[in-house]
Amino acid sequence: MSTSPPLTDRLPDTLLRHLTRVTGDEKHDAAAQSTLDVLWVLHDHVLRLDPWSERDRFLLSKGHGPASYYAVLATKGLIPASWLDDLAGPGSPLGHHPDRLLVPPVEISSGSLGHGLPIAVGLARGLEIAGAPGRVVVLVGDAELDEGSNHEAIAVAGRWGLGRLACVVVDNDSATLGWPGGIVTRFQHEGWTGAVVDTADHDALRDSLRVHGDRPHVTVVRTARKGS
């Protein structure tokens, strides 16, 4: 039996109320719920967003089912809460996939599997070359790691020693191929540091997400099995 504290004990009431306002994409409720804890910890405890010119870049590669992302952005005052009541409406900036041209805090338009991590590698390398401030944090789903583009990105990031790059893998056992020894070993074989934490353990989440050294770092977040 799980001993994880309920959502109402570990997340603010305002966030949970905002999440209930995002309706019309129930197909992706499981995808949204799986990201809720990590999105909150990132935006409330980890990411530096002020001043904006020196911000950390957050890339939501797991862009299908963005309800939790929108609720977090509204709770942090980064988008108007009134937007939550009109998901994918004719005049709404909030679509079923986040659009960087319509939602100012969104760094990339996402939703198609396998794109976010390669973009994050390029962005981290570009910031490094330019001597610009800020880390790059990308959130992917475990099923995305079936995509070959991600395997190439993992290898390149390790070879380049991109210490300002962090990847968060939300693992709800939806991957088809998997990896011997677990997801974290896939990254560690390529020179990344890594940790495996439970989605409800916010202290462990925060500590792992704050790791910043001379190598890229992955945090594998175990959450409820898809469909459970």
Side-chain angles (χ1 to χ4, degrees):
M1 181 180 295
S2 173
T3 58
S4 298
L7 286 175
T8 52
D9 288 347
R10 64 184 196 251
L11 293 168
D13 292 341
T14 302
L15 172 60
L16 298 177
R17 287 198 303 271
H18 281 159
L19 183 59
T20 65
R21 296 171 64 174
V22 189
T23 60
D25 190 23
E26 286 71 20
K27 172 184 175 182
H28 290 116
D29 275 353
Q33 290 287 347
S34 70
T35 64
L36 182 59
D37 285 282
V38 67
L39 285 170
W40 177 251
V41 172
L42 273 169
H43 285 80
D44 198 48
H45 296 290
V46 178
L47 295 173
R48 182 180 65 181
L49 300 176
D50 185 34
W52 189 249
S53 61
E54 299 179 10
R55 71 191 182 281
D56 293 330
R57 272 70 169 183
F58 172 68
L59 280 57
L60 181 67
S61 185
K62 188 180 169 72
H64 52 289
S68 291
Y69 186 37
Y70 295 152
V72 167
L73 292 179
T75 303
K76 298 302 294 182
L78 297 171
I79 63 172
S82 59
W83 287 5
L84 303 176
D85 300 318
D86 187 22
L87 178 68
S92 174
L94 302 185
H96 291 302
H97 291 182
D99 188 330
R100 71 176 186 86
L101 298 180
L102 298 177
V103 187
V106 171
E107 298 282 356
I108 60 168
S109 301
S110 60
S112 297
L113 299 182
H115 291 174
L117 184 53
I119 294 172
V121 169
L123 179 55
R125 180 63 167 164
L127 292 174
E128 182 179 78
I129 292 172
R135 298 175 69 210
V136 179
V137 180
V138 56
L139 190 157
V140 308
D142 60 319
E144 288 192 73
L145 299 183
D146 291 340
E147 302 289 337
S149 55
N150 278 327
H151 290 273
E152 294 174 359
I154 293 167
V156 169
R159 301 298 192 279
W160 281 345
L162 293 178
R164 67 170 66 204
L165 174 64
C167 180
V168 185
V169 182
V170 173
D171 181 12
N172 61 359
D173 286 330
S174 60
T176 301
L177 302 178
W179 186 259
I183 291 172
V184 72
T185 64
R186 173 69 187 94
F187 289 78
Q188 290 171 330
H189 282 317
E190 298 293 352
W192 293 56
T193 59
V196 181
V197 302
D198 186 85
T199 189
D201 189 342
H202 285 196
D203 289 339
L205 261 176
R206 182 186 64 246
D207 291 346
S208 184
L209 295 171
R210 284 178 173 171
V211 170
H212 189 188
D214 57 2
R215 290 190 287 165
H217 182 76
V218 63
T219 302
V220 179
V221 182
R222 292 289 301 151
T223 187
R225 185 183 180 89
K226 187 175 182 180
S228 63

